[in-house]
Amino acid sequence: MTTLEAVFEAVLEGDAESCRLLTERGIQEGLNPESILGEALIPAMREVGARFERQEYYVPEMLVAARAMQAGLTVLRPLLVERNFKPMAKVAIGTVRGDLHDIGKNLVGMMMEGAGLEVVDLGIDTPPERFVEAVRGGAQVVGMSALLTTTMMNMRLVIQALTEAGLRQQVKVIIGGAPLNGAFAEEIGADGYAPDASQAVSLVKGLLNLA
Ligand code: B1M
């Protein structure tokens, strides 16, 4: 079994310690962090989702798999994030109210930090008021994440709250998460949608006219 396959298996088995050690081994073997992420950790979580749909996995298995993935990410984080001295812009990101999924949101935050943006992480289950406060605190971009078809509807409430606070014109709003698409972004009045973390970075740079 290759190290990438072993990392994939460790996530499926929910074995956080092995996932961390195998991720470290992969780096020592010269694998680049993007490959470990894109060819082992993310596909493993996709497989966990598929098993959940087939009722082979239940919530506890999903939870331990997520912990294993996070353990791998702690190894990759410093390698993916190279902080620039002066951040180009401030982005506030959070998973919307009612939603506890944070792996994708954390990846987006990491990639943004790696691209020289300052990231304020509002966490999970974030009420609209916290996004509003973050914009009052100087965020030029609000990034919302949702993984559930039920909670994605709460994104609209955040945009409404920004509008009611008179802040909508001064902030760019971007959204992402598995059940979303560009049409939904348009429908709720967001400025853009990104299907993955690296496209989220390009989207922010494009919206703010950054190099
Ligand atoms: Co849940 N879950 N989950 N879950 N979970 C899904 C989302 C689900 C699709 C599984 C399935 O049925 N196949 C399903 C949703 C169905 C639906 O809404 N139609 C589901 C369900 C039903 C649930 C519960 C309701 C289960 C229950 O209790 N009966 C429950 C809800 C809890 C809640 O939130 N209120 C629940 C709970 C959980 C756990 C807590 C056990 C755990 C989350 C742990 C954690 O996040 N810390 C969990 C997990 C792990 C998953 C799956 C398996 C994996 C999600 C993940 O981390 N993917 C997921 C199945 C799946 O997605 N295939 C599933 C890896 C991650 C890197 O991808 O988050 O998509 P993703 O992020 C990507 C892009 O989407 C994008 O970039 C990221 C990186 O490329 N992106 C953005 C994300 N946010 C972005 C923001 C941006 C831009 C891009 O700009 C701001």
Side-chain angles (χ1 to χ4, degrees), residues 175-192:
I175 63 168
L180 312 182
N181 55 38
F184 182 70
E186 213 168 297
E187 187 191 318
I188 65 169
D191 296 300

Side-chain angles (χ1 to χ4, degrees), residues 90-153:
K90 191 166 171 179
V91 184
I93 57 169
T95 305
V96 292
R97 187 153 68 191
D99 201 317
L100 307 177
H101 297 85
D102 67 354
I103 296 175
K105 184 255 310 158
N106 294 345
L107 270 175
V108 170
M110 261 182 227
M111 297 298 275
M112 286 184 176
E113 283 182 348
L117 297 161
E118 179 183 352
V119 175
V120 180
D121 188 346
L122 305 177
I124 51 174
D125 191 16
T126 312
E129 312 84 69
R130 291 214 55 217
F131 288 100
V132 170
E133 277 162 29
V135 176
R136 290 207 175 100
Q140 290 118 297
V141 179
V142 156
M144 291 184 269
S145 180
L147 265 284
L148 300 172
T149 43
T150 45
T151 57
M152 63 192 258
M153 301 306 168

